[in-house]
Amino acid sequence: MSTLSNIMEAQGIGSAADIEWLHMLIGDWQLIADLAFADIVLWAPTTDGSFVAVSHARPSSSATLFYRDFVGQKIKAEWRAQVSEAYETSEIIESSSPAWYEETPTRVRAVPVVRRVRQGSSDPAPTSPIAVISLHTNLSESRSPSRQELTFNSCANDLFDMIATGDFPDLDAAPSPRRGAPRATDGLIRLDVDGVVTFASPNALSAFNRIGFNDELEGETLAEVTTRVLTGKINVDESLPVVVTGRAPWRADIEARGVTISLRTIPIRHLGERTGAIVLCRDVTELRNQEMELITKDATIREIHHRVKNNLQTVASLLRIQARRTQSDEAREALTQAMRRVASIAVVHDTLSEGLSQNVDFDDVFNRVLMLSAEVAAIHGTTVHPKLSGSFGVLPSEYATPLALALTELVTNAVEHGLAGREGTVVIEAQRTDELLSVHIVDNGTGLPEGEIGDGLGTQIVKTLIQGELSGSIEWGPAPEGGTDVSIEVPLRFLSISS
């Protein structure tokens, strides 16, 4: 749960719809701070009539005023009246004179946050703002602002007007990508209502120069510019037309000359009417190349696991054929055991070949491994009832392979020796914490002869896997109701793997 949700739920304030709206708003928190050249703080009303800070962003386009976060703190007395007025009147309130913060002159603006209700929603519209944004601009660095700074401030003012009327954030906006989202400083283009460029930052112009447009952007229709750049291209992002005309809050990529430019459009509205748009752009060529490399790498790894699985299954089949043709009972048993061990490893690689992650749901793996015990039971004239209790959870592949092989060996041993020739149960209990995996394999068979642990190949394999490869421990003992109880504990070093 986010900090915003934690604070608001702890204070008992805000509906689920209010919290969702504020989450959408702070998704563009850094963009707003950069455009405004100001620290911005989001204040939520409390039940005692005050306000508490639920989010804070510092501008990357100018020096910050606040070196410590306000998140979780009550509002300072010197800002409370202004923020309260914006909350009560639903109007943007400017400070009448410079405010001082630690001997630094500042300008403070309070912007009410109004939530728009989704069309067709049964959720009632809020009768007043759900929160207030305070902007804190450093006035100590006074100088003549550049044209870019003036445009950025104008864009910020448009966004604040939309926030105060519930037009921003936009409910129809495209979801934010995990990597490569354009920022204000990457490149900004301002469009009028007809899609004509009225301003293009130097970084934006450079980005379009790299894809083949060598003139000035200002005065050009952005849709016509992109059409010229993409002439002859067969594969074009289908959302590009509505993005470059500024008509929809969407995202698109332009690819030309081996360069990829990511675009994001924010339509500007006044009283519900579209008056223009902000287009953010960023050269994401390197990011897209990295993504393609990762996709290729993932596909290659999956193919390797698939081929390893096929090869292991081929080996298992050859061992099965050889076992059937062998005259010696001892040799047949050895070949059958080898076939079963190879097949259990193949199950892990089969699971890894089905997904992009190198982690596996071990419960699924183990359920498939348990099917191998049915073959052992049939060979020895045994009816076995395996039962799985608890959950292994998700494990990295370096855990899954030795653990699957060890558990296969233990379950098989319980069926082959403990329950040989009669009906019985084998219960596998798994308990998982963030730091430890505990497993018990309990059967109701004949138990260990005179309490002695076997010294055969199977026991040596299990000990090597659990103690050597997994750095765990294993103990054999009598079960409470007869039979054998094998206890395994494996420390989990990969604490980021969720259960």
Side-chain angles (χ1 to χ4, degrees):
M1 191 184 301
S2 70
T3 302
L4 183 149
S5 300
N6 283 331
I7 295 173
M8 295 189 71
E9 290 183 8
Q11 294 282 341
I13 54 178
S15 65
D18 292 342
I19 294 175
E20 179 188 6
W21 184 267
L22 295 178
H23 271 299
M24 292 173 60
L25 178 60
I26 63 176
D28 279 315
W29 216 219
Q30 192 60 54
L31 170 66
I32 297 171
D34 290 346
L35 291 174
F37 296 92
D39 284 81
I40 55 175
V41 184
L42 182 63
W43 303 98
T46 60
T47 53
D48 61 1
S50 184
F51 294 87
V52 62
V54 294
S55 189
H56 174 203
R58 298 176 177 85
S60 59
S61 52
S62 64
T64 182
L65 274 169
F66 310 129
Y67 292 94
R68 296 181 180 84
D69 278 336
F70 289 109
V71 175
Q73 298 181 25
K74 290 291 187 71
I75 193 168
K76 293 184 177 294
E78 56 264 36
W79 304 328
R80 180 169 177 174
Q82 188 175 347
V83 169
S84 296
E85 185 178 355
Y87 181 74
E88 293 166 1
T89 63
S90 300
E91 299 287 341
I92 297 176
I93 306 299
E94 301 274 0
S95 56
S96 56
S97 59
W100 291 83
Y101 182 81
E102 295 183 354
E103 300 181 355
T104 302
T106 69
R107 182 175 67 249
V108 181
R109 186 190 311 178
V111 180
V113 178
V114 174
R115 173 170 64 84
R116 178 157 52 99
V117 177
R118 295 181 185 273
Q119 190 173 10
S121 173
S122 59
D123 183 45
T127 57
S128 63
I130 60 174
V132 177
I133 298 172
S134 65
L135 286 83
H136 306 264
T137 306
N138 190 338
L139 299 179
S140 64
E141 301 177 353
S142 59
R143 56 183 175 81
S144 297
S146 65
R147 183 164 173 257
Q148 175 167 309
E149 290 175 357
L150 291 173
T151 303
F152 276 32
N153 273 312
S154 175
C155 292
N157 291 337
D158 289 334
L159 291 181
F160 291 133
D161 288 339
M162 292 168 64
I163 289 171
T165 57
D167 289 318
F168 189 83
D170 198 308
L171 294 172
D172 298 321
S176 178
R178 289 182 300 173
R179 302 170 70 235
R183 301 159 297 195
T185 52
D186 292 324
L188 182 143
I189 298 171
R190 183 66 188 257
L191 303 180
D192 65 14
V193 69
D194 297 317
V196 177
V197 178
T198 61
F199 172 83
S201 71
N203 285 345
L205 183 59
S206 295
F208 273 81
N209 289 162
R210 285 193 288 274
I211 59 175
F213 182 77
N214 297 318
D215 297 323
E216 291 294 329
L217 278 172
E218 292 183 17
E220 297 278 357
T221 301
L222 190 59
E224 294 178 358
V225 170
T226 55
T227 299
R228 274 182 270 168
V229 168
L230 297 174
T231 298
K233 289 281 184 179
I234 298 176
N235 297 322
V236 178
D237 195 324
E238 61 182 15
S239 61
L240 186 59
V242 294
V243 170
V244 295
T245 56
R247 296 181 180 277
W250 212 249
R251 303 172 187 267
D253 283 355
I254 301 176
E255 297 183 24
R257 295 189 174 188
V259 176
T260 303
I261 305 299
S262 179
L263 302 178
R264 178 202 174 182
T265 292
I266 303 173
I268 300 299
R269 296 184 177 88
H270 180 67
L271 300 177
E273 294 293 325
R274 188 173 62 84
T275 60
I278 300 169
V279 180
L280 303 173
C281 55
R282 179 181 182 182
D283 186 340
V284 293
T285 306
E286 187 63 29
L287 288 174
R288 294 293 181 265
N289 290 339
Q290 290 175 2
E291 289 171 357
M292 288 303 299
E293 289 175 1
L294 288 173
I295 291 172
T296 303
K297 176 184 175 182
D298 288 337
T300 302
I301 291 173
R302 290 174 64 185
E303 179 63 20
I304 289 172
H305 283 303
H306 181 71
R307 293 189 182 188
V308 170
K309 180 262 296 184
N310 287 344
N311 290 339
L312 290 173
Q313 287 181 336
T314 300
V315 172
S317 297
L318 293 174
L319 290 171
R320 186 193 303 271
I321 294 172
Q322 189 66 44
R324 288 174 177 173
R325 295 188 176 185
T326 300
Q327 301 300 318
S328 167
D329 291 340
E330 184 178 353
R332 185 184 304 111
E333 179 66 19
L335 289 170
T336 301
Q337 289 179 354
M339 177 273 296
R340 187 173 59 251
R341 290 160 184 157
V342 171
S344 67
I345 299 174
V347 169
V348 177
H349 285 280
D350 188 27
T351 304
L352 289 169
S353 71
E354 294 173 355
L356 295 177
S357 174
Q358 289 304 295
N359 305 318
V360 296
D361 181 350
F362 196 79
D363 294 302
D364 178 59
V365 170
F366 189 65
N367 283 330
R368 296 168 65 180
V369 166
L370 275 179
M371 296 173 62
L372 298 173
S373 66
E375 295 186 19
V376 179
I379 294 174
H380 294 274
T382 302
T383 301
V384 62
H385 303 284
K387 297 180 181 178
L388 176 59
S389 173
S391 174
F392 290 93
V394 176
L395 293 173
S397 58
E398 53 263 44
Y399 274 61
T401 300
L403 186 61
L405 186 54
L407 293 180
T408 301
E409 202 68 35
L410 291 170
V411 172
T412 300
N413 189 66
V415 173
E416 187 176 5
H417 299 291
L419 301 175
R422 64 191 185 89
E423 184 174 357
T425 61
V426 178
V427 179
I428 301 93
E429 299 177 353
Q431 293 184 340
R432 170 83 178 261
T433 68
D434 289 340
E435 299 179 352
L436 189 69
L437 173 65
S438 300
V439 185
H440 284 269
I441 300 96
V442 183
D443 67 70
N444 61 351
T446 57
L448 295 172
E450 300 180 359
E452 295 181 359
I453 301 172
D455 57 358
L457 177 61
T459 301
Q460 294 177 22
I461 289 175
V462 170
K463 285 184 176 180
T464 300
L465 292 170
I466 297 298
Q467 297 174 347
E469 297 212 18
L470 296 176
S471 301
S473 62
I474 181 168
E475 294 182 358
W476 282 264
E481 299 179 1
T484 304
D485 179 357
V486 183
S487 174
I488 296 173
E489 289 190 346
V490 177
L492 300 179
R493 299 185 297 274
F494 294 82
L495 302 184
S496 61
I497 303 301
S498 64
S499 59

